[in-house]
Amino acid sequence: MNWNQNLLYRHMALAMGTLALSACGGGSSGDDSASSEPAQNQQETAVAGDAAAQSTFKDNYSPVGAFSEPFAEPTIIVDGETVETDEKCVTNAEGLQECKPAAGTMALLEDGRLLYLNALEGTENVELSIVAEFGEVSVNDQSRVLSLGEDDEPQWLKPSPLRAGANPDGADSETLFNNTPLAVLDGLLDTADNTAKNDGALFCSDVIGMADGSVLAVGGTDYYSEPGVDGLPLGVAELEGVKNSRIFHAETNSWLQSGDMTYGRWYPSLVTLPDSKVLVASGVEKLIKPVYPSDPLNSGRNIVQTEVYDPCTGTWSVNPSTADRSLPLYPRMHLLPNGHVLYNAGGQAFNPFGQGYDQALWNIVATFNPDTQSWTDIGYAGLPLKLDEIGLGELSSTLNLTNLSQEQGSSLLGDVLNSAEDLMTAASELNVDEETLKSAIGGGMRGSTSSTMLPLKPNENGEYTDAEFLTAGGIPSYALLTNPGGYLPTDQSRIDTVRTNGDEVDYESRLTGSLNQPRWYGTNVLMPDGSVMVFSGGDRDGVVLPGLEGAIRTAERFDPETNTWTEMATGIRQRTYHNTAVLLPDGRVMVAGHSPINTGYLSFTDLSDLGFAPYDGRDPSFEIYTPPYAMRNDRPEILSAPKSLMPGDEFTIQVDQAEDIDKVLLIRRTVMTHVVDSDQRAIELPVQGRNGRSIRLKMPETSNVAPAGVYMLFASKDTEEGRVPSVSVPITVKTAGSLQCSGDTQLADNTNDDSNLLDSVVGQF
């Protein structure tokens, strides 16, 4: 029985009991004094029970939770003047739209405020076709900081620089004719050098929380036309990845420029390593025309080279070729309890045609060992086939053209399994039952899907060795196809289990109950009661045919105890592409975003009257989802806790309901973009002892489990209606030397910002 049914049955029983008592009183006969006293006692008991229920639940209680009314930034600066308006955009003197930014990327800061970044800024000024015009009308994306005051009163603040200040002198663009005799025709073949207003967009960067609480944004977009001619408004848009890394510091509300990567990356993924360095993988140097005359082997696919960022020096280093791997854009990556990095066979892909000639390799789950700087293939996603157990642990590396070597080739046993069809045949030859094979049709790489690490739990020895990952919805590859997938999303949900023993890794996958409806681009949030919520998204792939997907507003909740999904409250606004959702310190969820591509890659045409998602520009609004546990009056309260912890620390917290507390979760603060937060994790801390209001807890022994950074600590109790967590307290997890250095950064150049948009270091609404 799930928690909604439990509560419903409880209220039904209470109501039926009251009706029964009323019927007994009305139909009694004989000696009233003999029967009225028990009835009165029963009624008093029922009333007392009802009063207790009322004292437990707030007046607004709902077993599915509730969304707040949407709210948005109140002003737009137009032609140097501040205009207060409820509209999303206002036309300036040049006839262009000035619009409020949407939260296409959102990060919970150490102080509880929210940093967010716009997405696809400038699409509202496309008149004919985004393909033909966006290289000219696009603008570097704005950023904002949102804070909630008393009674959730929102306030907005403008960081400095407003658009994060990358490449004010132009980007080092890799055009088609670089290093060729035709390069002298620059300006007649492309417009890469014609403007600085769109050479360093934050859009399509990845973001990650650093050990000191700052936020690192890596990569992004350099827009231009190719072919295109300077001075003409039309061409063929190109989106090129930039090499920049930028750091947002909350204490100064400012962006600082850090070191550049060797490779420009559009749609990369970041993950924090145990030593607080940051691994970057994938991304593409050029999205539309990935042709590189100076590096022909890397043409036609995503970047295979990986790099590592050192926050102490602010510099990047390229890993050796053993660390190369073909991955989808925004690959779903997570740090495992043994310090390896898992690629979970999910990512962004341009379905149904794909974009890389080697994209069949994206179906294979693998781990990266930072010590040996090499990958091991551990399974074909969703299939009961363990590659390392049958001698194919280097399958992807062998089939990677840049890594091909005689030694790797000879390590394969028998014929090379170079296609999904062969892998399915091999699976059937392993005496796998028909039902398992049937479920495996949903295996392989998932496009635009979530990948959520479920809470890490210690074993009987107090060690963290196993990790489970929930993958739900997205576009399946149907296991048999070599392209990333189709057009329609799946309702399938699965849990991948990764067991570690030192450097040894074991992988298996199982199906859970399905989503209540197929969902593309849903954003998952791990909740402090151990459940997973999914918000927003669409019923079709909105990148294939933008504007023709229906929005999904009803949230769903996954219960790891029952492996089932339950429909919860329905949001107010429709949010499909570039939606976000972030867990707040009080256990509620901030839901935002919706920055669609122009309808049919042309101009915005709103087809919402026909039942499709709204395509009238970006949505700058926010909604707060309040789960049922936050609608109670009996939530536990953490009275005191340490401000910082180290791996292996034993520590004590004070809780007002200590005798009822049976679970404590340490949850890393969310930094979310494109339904990805590679550092997302929750760690269940074992209770070592109790004494009155004091609960003694123990941190994991290594930073493999809890990397340095800022976290939230929740204590929870079990009730008839489900687990009820406290409001969190902030905790900084440190490691030796993790906060003893700072990157070699400089104030990001402000010349990318329009002077009328930023009058001071920090502009406050």
Side-chain angles (χ1 to χ4, degrees):
M1 184 184 302
N2 65 40
W3 65 342
N4 294 336
Q5 291 172 326
N6 193 318
L7 182 62
L8 179 61
Y9 293 157
R10 183 178 176 210
H11 286 308
M12 287 176 62
L14 181 62
M16 291 174 67
T18 304
L19 288 172
L21 287 170
S22 176
C24 287
S28 63
S29 61
D31 187 355
D32 289 341
S33 62
S35 61
S36 62
E37 183 174 349
Q40 181 177 351
N41 289 341
Q42 292 176 27
Q43 286 181 325
E44 288 175 353
T45 300
V47 170
D50 193 36
Q54 289 178 359
S55 65
T56 299
F57 304 104
K58 296 181 179 180
D59 293 339
N60 66 344
Y61 182 84
S62 167
V64 296
F67 284 84
S68 71
E69 288 297 318
F71 58 94
E73 190 175 6
T75 62
I76 305 175
I77 297 179
V78 183
D79 299 325
E81 301 292 331
T82 299
V83 178
E84 187 167 337
T85 177
D86 292 332
E87 298 296 321
K88 297 189 292 186
C89 302
V90 173
T91 304
N92 64 19
E94 298 179 3
L96 299 177
Q97 297 284 299
E98 298 280 3
C99 301
K100 300 173 182 178
T105 295
M106 189 158 52
L108 178 64
L109 300 174
E110 184 176 14
D111 56 15
R113 298 180 302 160
L114 291 159
L115 170 70
Y116 67 95
L117 320 176
N118 203 7
L120 289 169
E121 186 152 354
T123 49
E124 58 274 354
N125 291 312
V126 170
E127 297 180 355
L128 176 64
S129 164
I130 190 172
V131 175
E133 298 175 53
F134 202 49
E136 307 304 314
V137 304
S138 56
V139 181
N140 288 345
D141 306 285
Q142 300 179 59
S143 59
R144 290 287 192 276
V145 176
L146 167 64
S147 59
L148 296 177
E150 189 175 352
D151 297 325
D152 291 334
E153 183 66 27
Q155 292 184 322
W156 281 266
L157 178 147
K158 299 178 189 176
S160 171
L162 189 68
R163 304 173 190 271
N167 304 326
D169 299 321
D172 183 17
S173 305
E174 176 78 5
T175 59
L176 285 173
F177 299 103
N178 273 12
N179 303 317
T180 72
L182 291 176
V184 297
L185 298 177
D186 184 44
L188 295 176
L189 297 174
D190 63 73
T191 64
D193 296 328
N194 72 338
T195 179
K197 70 178 183 180
N198 58 7
D199 280 348
L202 284 164
F203 175 60
C204 299
S205 63
D206 194 17
V207 290
I208 198 169
M210 303 288 284
D212 63 355
S214 60
V215 175
L216 175 70
V218 172
T221 312
D222 168 20
Y223 297 100
Y224 53 89
S225 294
E226 184 182 33
V229 178
D230 283 346
L232 296 181
L234 301 177
V236 177
E238 184 57 84
L239 288 74
E240 182 171 337
V242 299
K243 301 175 181 178
N244 305 80
S245 59
R246 291 165 268 187
I247 300 176
F248 178 80
H249 292 275
E251 64 273 15
T252 59
N253 297 302
S254 61
W255 288 97
L256 297 126
Q257 194 82 9
S258 191
D260 286 350
M261 297 177 289
T262 298
Y263 297 90
R265 298 177 190 264
W266 187 90
Y267 270 37
S269 279
L270 304 172
V271 63
T272 299
L273 299 175
D275 59 1
S276 297
K277 294 181 180 179
V278 178
L279 175 73
V280 64
S282 191
V284 68
E285 290 190 77
K286 292 178 64 176
L287 177 68
I288 310 299
K289 298 172 287 294
V291 178
Y292 312 109
S294 59
D295 191 7
L297 273 182
N298 275 328
S299 296
R301 62 175 179 168
N302 299 336
I303 299 168
V304 298
Q305 291 83 3
T306 59
E307 301 182 55
V308 171
Y309 177 76
D310 185 344
C312 289
T313 62
T315 58
W316 293 87
S317 58
V318 179
N319 289 326
S321 62
T322 54
D324 291 357
R325 187 173 186 89
S326 176
L327 296 166
L329 299 177
Y330 279 128
R332 293 357 181 199
M333 301 195 306
H334 307 268
L335 182 67
L336 292 173
N338 66 347
H340 295 194
V341 175
L342 173 74
Y343 161 61
N344 203 24
Q348 301 302 113
F350 293 89
N351 303 321
F353 309 109
Q355 77 220 35
Y357 61 77
D358 55 2
Q359 59 202 21
L361 303 178
W362 303 347
N363 295 297
I364 298 172
V365 177
T367 57
F368 174 73
N369 185 337
D371 293 333
T372 63
Q373 296 184 310
S374 61
W375 291 87
T376 298
D377 302 315
I378 59 174
Y380 194 96
L383 293 184
L385 178 62
K386 301 176 182 179
L387 299 178
D388 53 338
E389 290 187 1
I390 58 175
L392 296 179
E394 296 177 329
L395 175 62
S396 288
S397 296
T398 301
L399 297 180
N400 187 343
L401 292 183
T402 60
N403 276 2
L404 191 60
S405 70
Q406 183 176 358
E407 181 181 355
Q408 287 177 321
S410 63
S411 71
L412 295 176
L413 301 180
D415 295 332
V416 173
L417 300 183
N418 58 5
S419 71
E421 289 90 340
D422 289 339
L423 286 169
M424 286 293 289
T425 301
S428 65
E429 292 174 351
L430 294 175
N431 297 319
V432 179
D433 63 272
E434 183 178 348
E435 186 62 28
T436 302
L437 281 179
K438 180 179 178 181
S439 67
I441 296 300
M445 187 264 185
R446 291 273 186 92
S448 302
T449 187
S450 60
S451 180
T452 305
M453 178 188 282
L454 298 179
L456 292 166
K457 301 178 181 180
N459 59 23
E460 62 276 7
N461 298 320
E463 300 169 334
Y464 297 82
T465 58
D466 300 350
E468 292 190 319
F469 301 90
L470 176 69
T471 297
I475 306 297
S477 61
Y478 310 111
L480 298 178
L481 302 181
T482 56
N483 65 47
Y487 170 50
L488 298 176
T490 181
D491 63 358
Q492 193 185 69
S493 169
R494 75 170 188 252
I495 290 179
D496 295 333
T497 300
V498 179
R499 297 183 175 89
T500 66
N501 181 13
D503 288 339
E504 296 180 9
V505 177
D506 183 61
Y507 167 84
E508 65 180 37
S509 184
R510 70 182 189 273
L511 291 179
T512 72
S514 297
L515 291 161
N516 287 276
Q517 56 185 321
R519 192 181 299 249
W520 167 79
Y521 215 83
T523 298
N524 279 13
V525 177
L526 180 64
M527 307 294 282
D529 64 354
S531 67
V532 177
M533 296 280 297
V534 61
F535 298 92
S536 308
D539 61 5
R540 273 156 288 185
D541 190 327
V543 177
V544 177
L545 294 171
L548 297 183
E549 78 273 15
I552 299 176
R553 296 187 295 127
T554 301
E556 294 196 41
R557 177 183 184 270
F558 178 75
D559 184 346
E561 300 297 324
T562 62
N563 282 337
T564 57
W565 290 90
T566 301
E567 289 190 318
M568 303 298 281
T570 298
I572 311 300
R573 294 289 176 84
Q574 300 181 66
R575 307 178 189 275
T576 59
Y577 206 24
H578 303 124
N579 72 78
T580 49
V582 167
L583 178 67
L584 297 175
D586 61 7
R588 297 181 299 167
V589 179
M590 184 69 79
V591 179
H594 184 62
S595 297
I597 301 170
N598 299 53
T599 310
Y601 292 97
L602 301 174
S603 58
F604 280 126
T605 302
D606 190 12
L607 304 176
S608 57
D609 290 343
L610 301 178
F612 299 113
Y615 267 64
D616 55 349
R618 78 194 75 255
D619 188 339
S621 73
F622 296 81
E623 299 169 59
I624 300 175
Y625 172 72
T626 302
Y629 61 66
M631 297 175 164
R632 298 174 63 115
N633 294 312
D634 66 338
R635 296 181 70 182
E637 180 183 359
I638 300 177
L639 304 173
S640 67
K643 292 184 178 180
S644 63
L645 292 167
M646 296 279 288
D649 279 354
E650 288 197 16
F651 65 100
T652 298
I653 62 172
Q654 300 280 328
V655 188
D656 68 343
Q657 302 176 41
E659 68 280 1
D660 296 326
I661 300 302
D662 60 350
K663 189 170 291 187
V664 177
L665 281 183
L666 186 66
I667 300 182
R668 194 174 178 96
R669 293 183 179 239
T670 309
V671 183
M672 172 72 65
T673 186
H674 292 74
V675 306
V676 181
D677 178 7
S678 293
D679 274 0
Q680 168 267 314
R681 62 184 47 230
I683 304 147
E684 189 173 314
L685 302 181
V687 175
Q688 304 294 299
R690 303 171 185 271
N691 183 11
R693 288 187 167 187
S694 297
I695 298 178
R696 188 159 47 89
L697 304 166
K698 190 176 191 305
M699 283 288 288
E701 292 289 347
T702 76
S703 54
N704 297 341
V705 180
V710 291
Y711 290 75
M712 301 176 287
L713 188 75
F714 292 89
S716 66
K717 64 180 182 180
D718 204 11
T719 70
E720 292 183 8
E721 297 77 31
R723 184 160 293 281
V724 178
S726 66
V727 170
S728 73
V729 294
I731 288 183
T732 298
V733 175
K734 301 181 180 181
T735 58
S738 63
L739 302 180
Q740 303 304 313
C741 60
S742 58
D744 182 15
T745 57
Q746 59 185 8
L747 186 65
D749 196 293
N750 198 28
T751 57
N752 272 14
D753 297 330
D754 297 332
S755 59
N756 62 354
L757 289 178
L758 191 64
D759 299 320
S760 61
V761 172
V762 177
Q764 177 84 50
F765 280 108

